[in-house]
Amino acid sequence: ETAAIRCEAHKMASEATISQVKEIQKGSAEGHKEWSLWCDARGNGVRDPSKHSLEFLDEFIAHYNGGGRLEVNKSPEKVEVLAELIKNGQRNSHHWQQAWSLYCQRYGRGVNDPYKHESSFLLGFLDMLAHHACMAMYSPMEASYAWPWPETGSNSYESYDPVKDACVQKIKALQRSSEDAKKQWWNFCDSQQGGVRDPTRHTVRVLQEFLSGLG
């Protein structure tokens, strides 16, 4: 019964969100244009709101209501500048590289080469990063992520999220306790988390998933 109630609540939330998107589309030419650009940049050109996830729709609504607007610009020069920016990010940040790869799998037909995308797609990626960065910094508990800000010249770590800090300390203690525990953590990271073994670089959800799997 509880599962059925949750399912019905999710369905109602989805229908309400779809209606919001449709209202934006029908409300003005600007809204219609922005939804089209958003779908081209992030949704493989699929404009039917019911064909997208609730997260995709919520992000669009937040973007539009917050005054965000995507540009229509197919200038080769602009694409080249943006593509090079994304390549530099890939070369210098593992998290950036992983985010770009997932973004392309979900919205770009699996094409990872930034030079093979239009500027609107590249801008959509940058806008998504900025959006989630703001969420993480302003509402770390909601985002289930808090960026570790170490002191200059210090190896200390504090995420300002007590749940995450507790999980990090448990995993570090487990690694110190035995070689088997260390190997379990390494295998989990290598097989499911792109080889990132530093627990401070994972979200609370990932850390809790590993700990719950220990039984």
Coordinates of all heavy atoms in Angstrom, one line a residue, residues 25-34:
Q25 N 5.9 26.8 -22.3 CA 6.0 26.8 -23.8 C 4.9 27.6 -24.4 O 5.1 28.4 -25.4 CB 5.8 25.3 -24.3 CG 7.0 24.4 -24.1 CD 6.7 23.0 -24.6 OE1 6.1 22.2 -23.9 NE2 7.0 22.8 -25.9
K26 N 3.7 27.5 -23.9 CA 2.5 28.1 -24.5 C 2.4 29.6 -24.0 O 1.7 30.4 -24.7 CB 1.2 27.4 -24.1 CG 1.2 26.0 -24.7 CD 0.0 25.2 -24.2 CE -0.1 23.8 -24.7 NZ -1.3 23.0 -24.2
G27 N 3.1 30.0 -22.9 CA 2.9 31.3 -22.4 C 3.5 32.4 -23.2 O 3.0 33.5 -23.1
S28 N 4.6 32.1 -23.9 CA 5.2 33.1 -24.7 C 6.1 32.5 -25.7 O 6.5 31.3 -25.6 CB 6.1 34.1 -23.8 OG 7.2 33.3 -23.3
A29 N 6.5 33.3 -26.7 CA 7.4 32.9 -27.8 C 8.7 32.6 -27.2 O 9.4 31.6 -27.6 CB 7.5 33.9 -28.9
E30 N 9.1 33.4 -26.2 CA 10.4 33.2 -25.5 C 10.5 31.8 -24.8 O 11.5 31.1 -24.9 CB 10.7 34.3 -24.5 CG 12.0 34.2 -23.9 CD 12.2 35.3 -22.8 OE1 11.3 35.6 -22.1 OE2 13.4 35.8 -22.7
G31 N 9.4 31.5 -24.1 CA 9.3 30.2 -23.4 C 9.4 29.0 -24.4 O 10.1 28.1 -24.1
H32 N 8.7 29.2 -25.5 CA 8.7 28.1 -26.5 C 10.1 27.9 -27.1 O 10.6 26.8 -27.3 CB 7.7 28.5 -27.6 CG 7.5 27.4 -28.6 ND1 8.3 27.2 -29.7 CD2 6.6 26.4 -28.7 CE1 7.9 26.2 -30.4 NE2 6.9 25.6 -29.8
K33 N 10.7 29.1 -27.4 CA 12.1 29.0 -27.9 C 13.1 28.4 -27.0 O 13.9 27.6 -27.3 CB 12.5 30.4 -28.3 CG 13.9 30.5 -28.8 CD 14.3 32.0 -29.1 CE 15.8 32.2 -29.4 NZ 16.1 33.6 -29.5
E34 N 13.0 28.8 -25.7 CA 13.9 28.3 -24.7 C 13.8 26.8 -24.5 O 14.8 26.1 -24.3 CB 13.7 29.1 -23.4 CG 14.9 28.9 -22.4 CD 16.2 29.4 -22.9 OE1 16.2 30.3 -23.8 OE2 17.2 28.9 -22.3

